[in-house]
C-alpha cells in the first residue's frame, strides 16, 4: 500500500526538531522506528504534512545505569535493550517484557520512545513504565518537563504529549537486586500484541511478607492499568498459593475489558487473572523463566 505524500526533515539538533513540530501546528509527526507510524500512514489513519525523523540525534540513544536507576533515551531500540547484558541485571522485569515485543525485524527498528508515545493498550512498554513508576522526560517549545507514567496515558493511542513535544528519555527508579518480580503474557503467536499480560513486583520484609507490591496489566482496557485491588491482596501477605488464588480472583474482578474480534470480554477477564497468577508464581523463584 502506498503512503500518502509528506515532506521529510531529518534535523541534527533536538531544538530544530521541536521548532519544526511547532511551525507545523499539529500537522507534523515525529518518526522514530516507523514500525507503528508507517502502518498508520499506509492505512490512512494518519496523514501528516511533514515527518520529522529523530535518527540523527545521538542524545536520544543513551542507556545510563546508576544508583539512581536507569535512563533510556527515547531512540533506544528493542534490540539495543535485549543486546545489553547489564540491563538484565539492572532491570530484569523490563527486559523480560521486551522479550515479548514483536518480531526480530521490528525489534531492530522499533524504539521505546515510539512505543510509549504510540500508547497501544496492548503494548508491553506502556504497561512496564506504569507498573515501575517510570518518568517520561520531554522537551517542547514551552521547555522541558517530566511526566509521571501514571499521568501520561489518556486512552488508546492518546497521551498528554503536546503536538510539539518530544520524548527525550524514560527514567526508571533503581531496582534492588533482591526484588521479586514476574512477567507473563498470552498472545496468539510469540511476538504478536498481547491478548493480556501482567507485570508484578514487590519487596519482602524480614518475615518474607510482600510489601510495596505493584501489579500492572495490559490488553484488558483502553490503556495500561495498575490494579490496586490486587496490590492490596499482596501487601503484608506471604505469596503462597492461597494469596495467589485471591490475587487471581481480584485481578479478574478489577478489569472491565471489551469484547473485540480477538476475544470476548469474559475470556480476557479470566485470562488476566491467569496472567497475574502465573506472574506471581514466577516471582516466587525471584523472577526468571517459570
Ligand atoms: C507486525 C508488528 C507487530 C508488533 N508487535 C508489537 C508487540 O507485540 N508489542 C509492542 O509493544 N509493539 C509491537 N509493535 C509495535 C512496535 O514495537 C513499534 O516499534 C513501536 O510501538 C513504536 O516504535 P517506533 O520507534 O517504531 O515508533 P514510530 O512508529 O516511529 O512512531 C510511533 C508514534 O510515536 C511518535 N513518536 C515516536 N518517537 C517519539 C518521541 N521520541 N517523542 C514523541 N513522540 C514520538 C510518532 O510520531 C508516532 O506517532 C509491532 C509492530 C508491528 C508492525
Amino acid at each position: 500500500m502506498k503512503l500518502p505524500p509528506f515532506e521529510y526533515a531529518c534535523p541534527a539538533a533536538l531544538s530544530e526538531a521541536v521548532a519544526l513540530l511547532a511551525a507545523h501546528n499539529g500537522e507534523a509527526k515525529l518518526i522514530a522506528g516507523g514500525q507503528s507510524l508507517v502502518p498508520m500512514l499506509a492505512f490512512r489513519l494518519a496523514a501528516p504534512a511533514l515527518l520529522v525523523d529523530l535518527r540523527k540525534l545521538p542524545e536520544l540513544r543513551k542507556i545510563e545505569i546508576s544508583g539512581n536507576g536507569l535512563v533510556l533515551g527515547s531512540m533506544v531500540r528493542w534490540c539495543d535493550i535485549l543486546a545489553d547484558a547489564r540491563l538484565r541485571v539492572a532491570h530484569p522485569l523490563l527486559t523480560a517484557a521486551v522479550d515479548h515485543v514483536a518480531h526480530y525485524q521490528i525489534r531492530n527498528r522499533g524504539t521505546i520512545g515510539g512505543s510509549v508515545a504510540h500508547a497501544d493498550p496492548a503494548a508491553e512498554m506502556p504497561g512496564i513504565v506504569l507498573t515501575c513508576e517510570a518518568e517520561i522526560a520531554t522537551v517542547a517549545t514551552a521547555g522541558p518537563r517530566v511526566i509521571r507514567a501514571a499521568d501520561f496515558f489518556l486512552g488508546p493511542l492518546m497521551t498528554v504529549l503536546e503536538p510539539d513535544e518530544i520524548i527525550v528519555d524514560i527514567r526508571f527508579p533503581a531496582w534492588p537486586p533482591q526484588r521479586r518480580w514476574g512477567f507473563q503474557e498470552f498472545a496468539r503467536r510469540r511476538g504478536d500484541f498481547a491478548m493480556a499480560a501482567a507485570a508484578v513486583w514487590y519487596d519482602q520484609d524480614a518475615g518474607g511478607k510482600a510489601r510495596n507490591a505493584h501489579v500492572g496489566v495490559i490488553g484488558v482496557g483502553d490503556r495500561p492499568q495498575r490494579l490496586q485491588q490486587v496490590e492490596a491482596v499482596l501487601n503484608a501477605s506471604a505469596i503462597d498459593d492461597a494469596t495467589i488464588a485471591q490475587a487471581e480472583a481480584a485481578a479478574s474482578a478489577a478489569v472491565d475489558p471489551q469484547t473485540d474480534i480477538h476475544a470476548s470480554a469474559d475470556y480476557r477477564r479470566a485470562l488476566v487473572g491467569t496472567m497475574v497468577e502465573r506472574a506471581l508464581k514466577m516471582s516466587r523463584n525471584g523472577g526468571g523463566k517459570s
Side-chain angles (χ1 to χ4, degrees):
M1 216 181 256
K2 288 201 173 116
L3 305 185
F6 51 81
E7 296 294 321
Y8 174 82
C10 193
L14 197 52
S15 55
E16 200 188 327
V18 171
L20 282 164
L21 293 178
H24 283 76
N25 208 14
E27 294 299 316
K29 272 232 158 266
L30 295 169
I31 181 160
Q35 299 303 296
S36 296
L37 182 61
V38 172
M40 300 266 289
L41 297 177
F43 288 116
R44 301 296 191 270
L45 295 171
L50 173 72
L51 287 191
V52 179
D53 196 334
L54 294 175
R55 75 189 161 86
K56 284 198 185 149
L57 303 173
E59 66 267 44
L60 302 184
R61 296 190 188 273
K62 63 173 172 253
I63 297 181
E64 285 174 6
I65 302 169
S66 73
N68 294 329
L70 173 63
V71 179
L72 294 177
S74 63
M75 287 293 282
V76 169
R77 300 167 302 164
W78 306 127
C79 63
D80 300 324
I81 293 174
L82 294 175
D84 193 328
R86 297 172 308 157
L87 292 178
R88 292 216 176 255
V89 179
H91 212 299
L93 174 59
L94 170 87
T95 48
V98 175
D99 273 334
H100 290 264
V101 174
H103 313 279
Y104 177 79
Q105 292 88 342
I106 293 153
R107 291 208 289 254
N108 281 335
R109 297 201 72 98
T111 65
I112 187 168
S115 175
V116 169
H118 189 59
D120 190 309
E124 288 82 359
M125 204 42 56
I128 294 297
V129 298
L130 179 73
T131 310
C132 295
E133 297 188 8
E135 292 177 330
I136 296 142
T138 68
V139 65
T141 315
R145 68 169 169 156
V146 176
I147 308 162
R148 294 179 337 134
D151 300 327
F152 188 80
F153 301 102
L154 297 179
L157 312 191
M158 285 186 289
T159 70
V160 296
L161 286 176
E162 296 293 337
D164 66 343
E165 194 163 16
I166 300 177
I167 299 177
V168 176
D169 55 52
I170 301 178
R171 303 168 182 183
F172 293 85
W175 184 271
Q178 65 282 9
R179 179 165 282 165
R180 299 283 171 144
W181 64 273
F183 182 84
Q184 288 287 321
E185 170 168 330
F186 185 83
R188 274 182 197 272
R189 294 171 305 182
R190 179 91 188 174
D192 281 0
F193 277 100
M195 299 263 270
V200 303
W201 63 265
Y202 51 89
D203 300 313
Q204 282 180 306
D205 64 20
K209 296 202 167 145
R211 59 179 180 79
N212 197 21
H214 284 59
V215 178
V217 294
I218 58 167
V220 287
D222 69 353
R223 66 193 91 171
Q225 284 170 263
R226 278 270 300 274
L227 301 184
Q228 269 94 9
Q229 302 90 323
V230 183
E231 294 169 0
V233 168
L234 302 178
N235 279 324
S237 295
I239 307 304
D240 54 20
D241 288 350
T243 304
I244 291 177
Q246 240 186 305
E248 177 185 355
S252 293
V255 297
D256 185 21
Q258 302 297 305
T259 294
D260 62 21
I261 53 165
H262 303 294
S264 69
D266 283 347
Y267 179 79
R268 278 192 208 266
R269 206 175 291 117
L271 186 60
V272 83
T274 304
M275 293 301 103
V276 167
E277 177 212 348
R278 290 183 185 169
L280 285 167
K281 286 186 171 161
M282 182 177 177
S283 76
R284 290 198 296 205
N285 307 324
K289 302 287 177 217
S290 59

Tab-separated table of all heavy atoms in Angstrom, residues 29-39 54 60 74 78 100-103 106 109-111 113-115 117-118 122-125 161 165-168 185 191-194, ligand 1:
chain	number	residue	atom	x	y	z
A	29	LYS	N	4.581	15.084	12.222
A	29	LYS	CA	4.697	13.936	13.142
A	29	LYS	C	6.139	13.521	13.223
A	29	LYS	O	6.868	13.525	12.213
A	29	LYS	CB	3.887	12.753	12.597
A	29	LYS	CG	2.456	12.749	13.033
A	29	LYS	CD	2.133	11.389	13.642
A	29	LYS	CE	0.963	11.362	14.561
A	29	LYS	NZ	1.200	11.515	15.941
A	30	LEU	N	6.553	13.094	14.410
A	30	LEU	CA	7.888	12.515	14.565
A	30	LEU	C	7.881	11.115	14.002
A	30	LEU	O	6.878	10.394	14.107
A	30	LEU	CB	8.246	12.445	16.051
A	30	LEU	CG	8.383	13.792	16.755
A	30	LEU	CD1	8.461	13.560	18.263
A	30	LEU	CD2	9.621	14.523	16.248
A	31	ILE	N	9.023	10.700	13.448
A	31	ILE	CA	9.183	9.295	13.115
A	31	ILE	C	10.444	8.794	13.816
A	31	ILE	O	11.499	9.415	13.748
A	31	ILE	CB	9.211	9.036	11.585
A	31	ILE	CG1	9.344	7.539	11.326
A	31	ILE	CG2	10.281	9.838	10.850
A	31	ILE	CD1	8.924	7.097	9.939
A	32	ALA	N	10.271	7.673	14.549
A	32	ALA	CA	11.404	7.052	15.254
A	32	ALA	C	11.758	5.779	14.481
A	32	ALA	O	12.437	5.835	13.458
A	32	ALA	CB	11.019	6.795	16.700
A	33	GLY	N	11.241	4.630	14.900
A	33	GLY	CA	11.496	3.391	14.150
A	33	GLY	C	10.520	3.193	12.997
A	33	GLY	O	10.751	2.382	12.099
A	34	GLY	N	9.416	3.894	13.027
A	34	GLY	CA	8.424	3.815	11.942
A	34	GLY	C	7.566	2.558	11.978
A	34	GLY	O	6.716	2.364	11.114
A	35	GLN	N	7.726	1.733	13.001
A	35	GLN	CA	7.049	0.424	12.995
A	35	GLN	C	5.575	0.506	13.372
A	35	GLN	O	4.814	-0.417	13.113
A	35	GLN	CB	7.788	-0.552	13.928
A	35	GLN	CG	9.214	-0.792	13.508
A	35	GLN	CD	9.305	-1.306	12.076
A	35	GLN	OE1	8.818	-2.395	11.774
A	35	GLN	NE2	9.886	-0.519	11.197
A	36	SER	N	5.168	1.604	13.961
A	36	SER	CA	3.735	1.853	14.184
A	36	SER	C	3.242	2.953	13.250
A	36	SER	O	2.143	2.868	12.707
A	36	SER	CB	3.476	2.268	15.640
A	36	SER	OG	3.803	1.204	16.494
A	37	LEU	N	4.067	3.982	13.061
A	37	LEU	CA	3.626	5.126	12.254
A	37	LEU	C	3.444	4.754	10.786
A	37	LEU	O	2.453	5.151	10.162
A	37	LEU	CB	4.637	6.275	12.395
A	37	LEU	CG	4.243	7.540	11.632
A	37	LEU	CD1	2.915	8.091	12.131
A	37	LEU	CD2	5.328	8.598	11.761
A	38	VAL	N	4.369	3.993	10.219
A	38	VAL	CA	4.267	3.685	8.778
A	38	VAL	C	2.997	2.875	8.476
A	38	VAL	O	2.266	3.226	7.534
A	38	VAL	CB	5.575	3.033	8.260
A	38	VAL	CG1	5.390	2.528	6.829
A	38	VAL	CG2	6.718	4.050	8.322
A	39	PRO	N	2.673	1.836	9.269
A	39	PRO	CA	1.368	1.194	9.032
A	39	PRO	C	0.191	2.164	9.173
A	39	PRO	O	-0.782	2.087	8.416
A	39	PRO	CB	1.304	0.097	10.106
A	39	PRO	CG	2.729	-0.171	10.473
A	39	PRO	CD	3.473	1.110	10.253
A	54	LEU	N	13.945	11.338	13.827
A	54	LEU	CA	14.793	11.564	15.017
A	54	LEU	C	16.133	10.837	14.935
A	54	LEU	O	16.893	10.849	15.890
A	54	LEU	CB	14.037	11.094	16.270
A	54	LEU	CG	12.774	11.880	16.623
A	54	LEU	CD1	12.051	11.227	17.806
A	54	LEU	CD2	13.115	13.333	16.943
A	60	LEU	N	19.472	10.948	22.030
A	60	LEU	CA	18.258	10.176	22.305
A	60	LEU	C	18.543	8.674	22.373
A	60	LEU	O	17.624	7.882	22.531
A	60	LEU	CB	17.199	10.447	21.225
A	60	LEU	CG	16.759	11.898	21.041
A	60	LEU	CD1	15.627	11.982	20.013
A	60	LEU	CD2	16.296	12.501	22.372
A	74	SER	N	14.914	7.952	24.232
A	74	SER	CA	13.690	7.541	23.525
A	74	SER	C	13.988	6.747	22.262
A	74	SER	O	13.161	5.953	21.820
A	74	SER	CB	12.842	8.773	23.189
A	74	SER	OG	13.550	9.615	22.301
A	78	TRP	N	14.380	-1.849	20.710
A	78	TRP	CA	14.176	-3.115	21.437
A	78	TRP	C	15.443	-3.961	21.361
A	78	TRP	O	15.854	-4.564	22.357
A	78	TRP	CB	13.004	-3.893	20.846
A	78	TRP	CG	11.721	-3.119	20.748
A	78	TRP	CD1	10.956	-2.946	19.640
A	78	TRP	CD2	11.042	-2.407	21.799
A	78	TRP	NE1	9.855	-2.181	19.923
A	78	TRP	CE2	9.883	-1.840	21.236
A	78	TRP	CE3	11.308	-2.188	23.150
A	78	TRP	CZ2	8.992	-1.069	21.974
A	78	TRP	CZ3	10.421	-1.417	23.900
A	78	TRP	CH2	9.288	-0.880	23.303
A	100	HIS	N	9.042	-10.076	24.787
A	100	HIS	CA	7.750	-10.397	24.162
A	100	HIS	C	7.354	-9.391	23.075
A	100	HIS	O	6.299	-9.543	22.470
A	100	HIS	CB	6.640	-10.419	25.223
A	100	HIS	CG	6.745	-11.578	26.157
A	100	HIS	ND1	6.037	-12.747	25.977
A	100	HIS	CD2	7.489	-11.752	27.274
A	100	HIS	CE1	6.343	-13.590	26.946
A	100	HIS	NE2	7.208	-13.005	27.754
A	101	VAL	N	8.155	-8.347	22.872
A	101	VAL	CA	7.743	-7.298	21.932
A	101	VAL	C	8.033	-7.726	20.495
A	101	VAL	O	9.190	-7.911	20.110
A	101	VAL	CB	8.465	-5.961	22.225
A	101	VAL	CG1	8.133	-4.935	21.146
A	101	VAL	CG2	8.089	-5.421	23.595
A	102	ALA	N	6.992	-7.895	19.717
A	102	ALA	CA	7.103	-8.015	18.260
A	102	ALA	C	8.089	-9.098	17.810
A	102	ALA	O	8.427	-10.021	18.559
A	102	ALA	CB	7.452	-6.655	17.661
A	103	HIS	N	8.538	-8.953	16.561
A	103	HIS	CA	9.389	-9.959	15.918
A	103	HIS	C	10.757	-9.346	15.630
A	103	HIS	O	10.936	-8.142	15.725
A	103	HIS	CB	8.738	-10.426	14.617
A	103	HIS	CG	7.281	-10.751	14.798
A	103	HIS	ND1	6.841	-11.941	15.312
A	103	HIS	CD2	6.159	-9.998	14.602
A	103	HIS	CE1	5.521	-11.929	15.389
A	103	HIS	NE2	5.086	-10.762	14.978
A	106	ILE	N	11.145	-6.121	13.495
A	106	ILE	CA	10.538	-4.938	14.132
A	106	ILE	C	11.391	-4.492	15.320
A	106	ILE	O	11.577	-3.305	15.564
A	106	ILE	CB	9.097	-5.273	14.546
A	106	ILE	CG1	8.265	-5.482	13.281
A	106	ILE	CG2	8.485	-4.190	15.419
A	106	ILE	CD1	7.096	-6.382	13.446
A	109	ARG	N	14.197	-1.992	14.677
A	109	ARG	CA	13.901	-0.580	14.381
A	109	ARG	C	13.043	0.084	15.457
A	109	ARG	O	13.200	1.269	15.733
A	109	ARG	CB	13.188	-0.465	13.031
A	109	ARG	CG	14.029	-0.925	11.857
A	109	ARG	CD	13.524	-0.355	10.564
A	109	ARG	NE	13.806	1.060	10.468
A	109	ARG	CZ	14.842	1.568	9.820
A	109	ARG	NH1	15.678	0.789	9.205
A	109	ARG	NH2	15.026	2.868	9.770
A	110	GLY	N	12.101	-0.668	16.026
A	110	GLY	CA	11.162	-0.077	16.984
A	110	GLY	C	11.878	0.446	18.221
A	110	GLY	O	12.841	-0.152	18.698
A	111	THR	N	11.380	1.568	18.751
A	111	THR	CA	12.040	2.233	19.877
A	111	THR	C	11.116	2.310	21.094
A	111	THR	O	9.886	2.284	20.969
A	111	THR	CB	12.428	3.674	19.495
A	111	THR	OG1	11.218	4.423	19.261
A	111	THR	CG2	13.308	3.709	18.253
A	113	GLY	N	10.745	4.966	22.995
A	113	GLY	CA	10.010	6.241	22.985
A	113	GLY	C	8.822	6.185	22.046
A	113	GLY	O	7.736	6.685	22.362
A	114	GLY	N	9.023	5.554	20.877
A	114	GLY	CA	7.919	5.420	19.919
A	114	GLY	C	6.781	4.611	20.501
A	114	GLY	O	5.605	4.927	20.316
A	115	SER	N	7.118	3.558	21.236
A	115	SER	CA	6.092	2.701	21.825
A	115	SER	C	5.289	3.448	22.887
A	115	SER	O	4.057	3.382	22.919
A	115	SER	CB	6.746	1.459	22.437
A	115	SER	OG	5.790	0.688	23.097
A	117	ALA	N	4.987	6.703	23.212
A	117	ALA	CA	4.210	7.791	22.587
A	117	ALA	C	3.005	7.235	21.832
A	117	ALA	O	1.942	7.858	21.801
A	117	ALA	CB	5.100	8.578	21.623
A	118	HIS	N	3.161	6.062	21.238
A	118	HIS	CA	2.070	5.472	20.448
A	118	HIS	C	0.926	5.007	21.360
A	118	HIS	O	-0.242	5.059	20.981
A	118	HIS	CB	2.641	4.309	19.630
A	118	HIS	CG	1.685	3.766	18.627
A	118	HIS	ND1	1.137	4.534	17.624
A	118	HIS	CD2	1.157	2.515	18.460
A	118	HIS	CE1	0.329	3.791	16.889
A	118	HIS	NE2	0.309	2.562	17.382
A	122	ALA	N	-2.298	-2.607	24.191
A	122	ALA	CA	-1.803	-3.984	24.291
A	122	ALA	C	-0.272	-4.050	24.208
A	122	ALA	O	0.286	-5.148	24.184
A	122	ALA	CB	-2.414	-4.841	23.187
A	123	ALA	N	0.392	-2.906	24.153
A	123	ALA	CA	1.860	-2.903	24.056
A	123	ALA	C	2.483	-3.076	25.440
A	123	ALA	O	1.954	-2.583	26.438
A	123	ALA	CB	2.338	-1.599	23.425
A	124	GLU	N	3.611	-3.758	25.466
A	124	GLU	CA	4.245	-4.097	26.739
A	124	GLU	C	4.797	-2.854	27.457
A	124	GLU	O	4.634	-2.712	28.673
A	124	GLU	CB	5.411	-5.084	26.524
A	124	GLU	CG	4.997	-6.485	26.158
A	124	GLU	CD	4.673	-6.653	24.673
A	124	GLU	OE1	4.758	-5.663	23.925
A	124	GLU	OE2	4.305	-7.776	24.276
A	125	MET	N	5.491	-1.965	26.720
A	125	MET	CA	6.255	-0.933	27.422
A	125	MET	C	5.390	0.086	28.153
A	125	MET	O	5.729	0.475	29.277
A	125	MET	CB	7.227	-0.245	26.448
A	125	MET	CG	8.419	0.396	27.117
A	125	MET	SD	9.186	-0.566	28.464
A	125	MET	CE	9.563	-2.111	27.639
A	161	LEU	N	1.010	14.147	25.571
A	161	LEU	CA	2.016	14.864	24.771
A	161	LEU	C	1.370	15.966	23.933
A	161	LEU	O	0.337	15.749	23.297
A	161	LEU	CB	2.738	13.897	23.821
A	161	LEU	CG	3.751	12.929	24.434
A	161	LEU	CD1	4.280	11.990	23.367
A	161	LEU	CD2	4.889	13.669	25.131
A	165	GLU	N	5.850	18.287	21.276
A	165	GLU	CA	6.597	17.729	22.411
A	165	GLU	C	7.293	16.420	22.015
A	165	GLU	O	6.682	15.552	21.389
A	165	GLU	CB	5.625	17.479	23.573
A	165	GLU	CG	6.302	17.231	24.889
A	165	GLU	CD	5.345	17.409	26.067
A	165	GLU	OE1	4.116	17.417	25.843
A	165	GLU	OE2	5.838	17.516	27.207
A	166	ILE	N	8.542	16.287	22.410
A	166	ILE	CA	9.347	15.120	22.042
A	166	ILE	C	9.785	14.399	23.319
A	166	ILE	O	10.292	15.036	24.254
A	166	ILE	CB	10.602	15.550	21.250
A	166	ILE	CG1	10.187	16.284	19.963
A	166	ILE	CG2	11.482	14.336	20.910
A	166	ILE	CD1	11.359	16.817	19.138
A	167	ILE	N	9.594	13.092	23.352
A	167	ILE	CA	10.133	12.316	24.485
A	167	ILE	C	11.651	12.247	24.307
A	167	ILE	O	12.142	11.830	23.258
A	167	ILE	CB	9.552	10.893	24.532
A	167	ILE	CG1	8.028	10.937	24.704
A	167	ILE	CG2	10.191	10.090	25.656
A	167	ILE	CD1	7.365	9.560	24.690
A	168	VAL	N	12.349	12.667	25.357
A	168	VAL	CA	13.818	12.642	25.318
A	168	VAL	C	14.317	11.339	25.931
A	168	VAL	O	15.127	10.625	25.352
A	168	VAL	CB	14.396	13.859	26.064
A	168	VAL	CG1	15.918	13.795	26.106
A	168	VAL	CG2	13.926	15.142	25.405
A	185	GLU	N	2.691	-13.183	29.688
A	185	GLU	CA	1.890	-12.652	28.579
A	185	GLU	C	1.283	-13.799	27.790
A	185	GLU	O	1.918	-14.842	27.600
A	185	GLU	CB	2.795	-11.822	27.664
A	185	GLU	CG	2.121	-11.429	26.366
A	185	GLU	CD	2.887	-10.378	25.576
A	185	GLU	OE1	3.581	-9.547	26.208
A	185	GLU	OE2	2.782	-10.388	24.343
A	191	GLY	N	5.379	-12.829	19.886
A	191	GLY	CA	5.692	-11.583	19.190
A	191	GLY	C	4.471	-10.802	18.753
A	191	GLY	O	4.584	-9.635	18.399
A	192	ASP	N	3.287	-11.436	18.779
A	192	ASP	CA	2.075	-10.672	18.494
A	192	ASP	C	1.754	-9.789	19.705
A	192	ASP	O	2.242	-10.030	20.819
A	192	ASP	CB	0.883	-11.612	18.258
A	192	ASP	CG	0.901	-12.215	16.858
A	192	ASP	OD1	1.825	-11.897	16.088
A	192	ASP	OD2	-0.006	-12.995	16.547
A	193	PHE	N	0.891	-8.811	19.472
A	193	PHE	CA	0.438	-7.999	20.603
A	193	PHE	C	-0.262	-8.890	21.625
A	193	PHE	O	-0.883	-9.898	21.269
A	193	PHE	CB	-0.524	-6.910	20.127
A	193	PHE	CG	0.185	-5.693	19.596
A	193	PHE	CD1	0.331	-5.491	18.234
A	193	PHE	CD2	0.738	-4.766	20.465
A	193	PHE	CE1	0.987	-4.371	17.746
A	193	PHE	CE2	1.399	-3.652	19.993
A	193	PHE	CZ	1.523	-3.454	18.628
A	194	ALA	N	-0.170	-8.498	22.896
A	194	ALA	CA	-0.719	-9.317	23.980
A	194	ALA	C	-2.245	-9.343	23.938
A	194	ALA	O	-2.885	-8.308	23.744
A	194	ALA	CB	-0.270	-8.739	25.319
B	1	LIG	C1	3.787	-6.664	12.945
B	1	LIG	C2	4.036	-5.803	14.160
B	1	LIG	C3	3.981	-6.394	15.427
B	1	LIG	C4	4.202	-5.631	16.560
B	1	LIG	N1	4.115	-6.229	17.777
B	1	LIG	C5	4.298	-5.494	18.878
B	1	LIG	C6	4.207	-6.077	20.188
B	1	LIG	O1	3.984	-7.285	20.358
B	1	LIG	N2	4.368	-5.260	21.251
B	1	LIG	C7	4.631	-3.925	21.121
B	1	LIG	O2	4.764	-3.231	22.125
B	1	LIG	N3	4.755	-3.355	19.926
B	1	LIG	C8	4.600	-4.100	18.804
B	1	LIG	N4	4.713	-3.499	17.591
B	1	LIG	C9	4.998	-2.059	17.533
B	1	LIG	C10	6.494	-1.778	17.623
B	1	LIG	O3	7.014	-2.169	18.872
B	1	LIG	C11	6.785	-0.297	17.385
B	1	LIG	O4	8.112	-0.227	17.106
B	1	LIG	C12	6.515	0.670	18.499
B	1	LIG	O5	5.225	0.597	19.016
B	1	LIG	C13	6.676	2.100	18.028
B	1	LIG	O6	8.001	2.410	17.989
B	1	LIG	P1	8.641	3.105	16.722
B	1	LIG	O7	10.009	3.538	17.136
B	1	LIG	O8	8.548	2.216	15.563
B	1	LIG	O9	7.725	4.412	16.572
B	1	LIG	P2	7.133	5.105	15.268
B	1	LIG	O10	6.312	4.150	14.516
B	1	LIG	O11	8.217	5.815	14.528
B	1	LIG	O12	6.220	6.209	15.976
B	1	LIG	C14	5.062	5.837	16.687
B	1	LIG	C15	4.383	7.092	17.232
B	1	LIG	O13	5.182	7.663	18.257
B	1	LIG	C16	5.543	9.010	17.916
B	1	LIG	N5	6.919	9.172	18.407
B	1	LIG	C17	7.984	8.416	18.061
B	1	LIG	N6	9.069	8.796	18.774
B	1	LIG	C18	8.670	9.816	19.580
B	1	LIG	C19	9.329	10.621	20.557
B	1	LIG	N7	10.627	10.458	20.877
B	1	LIG	N8	8.603	11.574	21.198
B	1	LIG	C20	7.279	11.747	20.915
B	1	LIG	N9	6.607	11.010	20.008
B	1	LIG	C21	7.300	10.054	19.343
B	1	LIG	C22	5.383	9.102	16.421
B	1	LIG	O14	5.128	10.428	15.994
B	1	LIG	C23	4.194	8.197	16.202
B	1	LIG	O15	3.002	8.877	16.485
B	1	LIG	C24	4.513	-4.244	16.433
B	1	LIG	C25	4.609	-3.648	15.169
B	1	LIG	C26	4.374	-4.408	14.038
B	1	LIG	C27	4.479	-3.753	12.692
